[in-house]
Amino acid sequence: MAGSADDSLYERIYAAVHEVPRGRVTTYGTISELVTGRPSAARTVGWALAALDEARHDEVPWWRVINAKGRISISGWPGAAEEQRRRCEVEGIRFDERDRTDLDAYGWFG
DNA sequence: GCGTTGACTATTG
DNA sequence: TCAATAGCCAACG
């Protein structure tokens, strides 16, 4: 139903991220394409996740969203990158010596 | 309505 | 592989 706040770009992004299964990771471009229909709006996805509230941080699996290089690229909250890596490891995601994940193995595509 | 900023991506060297 | 540059989209003042 149109007119609801759930139709906001924010909610759409949060819903798309919530669709990512546990133990899997996705890229900003994938979420962008699922929400806006354009992989070029990946920056908008990162901006939306940066606007996540404390409550959303515990509800939306933002830690499963990484860049296309399979690497964490966070600059919103100090220590977020470290926390994201820790949460991913808890779900079974392994990071190499370069803090990179294998999108070919953990990558998720809608 | 314009310019700036940002948790991006692809290309080039 | 890393660094720098260009392109892209949405929100903010």
Side-chain angles (χ1 to χ4, degrees), chain A residues 50-71:
Chain A
L52 270 169
D53 294 328
E54 244 178 275
R56 297 288 189 185
H57 256 249
D58 190 38
E59 183 179 352
V60 178
W62 57 269
W63 53 87
R64 293 175 190 159
V65 183
I66 58 180
N67 61 7
K69 303 257 188 345
R71 201 175 186 190

Side-chain angles (χ1 to χ4, degrees), chain A residues 24-106:
Chain A
R24 291 278 189 267
V25 294
T26 189
T27 65
Y28 298 94
T30 300
I31 299 299
S32 176
E33 190 175 11
L34 290 173
V35 176
T36 65
R38 293 177 186 173
S40 302
R43 305 186 80 164
T44 306
V45 176
W47 173 86
L49 292 177
L52 270 169
D53 294 328
E54 244 178 275
R56 297 288 189 185
H57 256 249
D58 190 38
E59 183 179 352
V60 178
W62 57 269
W63 53 87
R64 293 175 190 159
V65 183
I66 58 180
N67 61 7
K69 303 257 188 345
R71 201 175 186 190
I72 297 174
S73 185
I74 285 187
S75 299
W77 178 70
E82 186 179 358
E83 183 177 344
Q84 181 172 20
R85 178 176 176 174
R86 193 167 75 88
R87 288 177 181 264
C88 287
E89 288 179 341
V90 171
E91 296 189 350
I93 299 170
R94 299 294 188 84
F95 286 80
D96 62 1
E97 296 177 351
R98 296 172 189 256
D99 295 336
R100 292 193 302 182
T101 59
D102 190 350
L103 292 174
D104 190 37
Y106 304 107

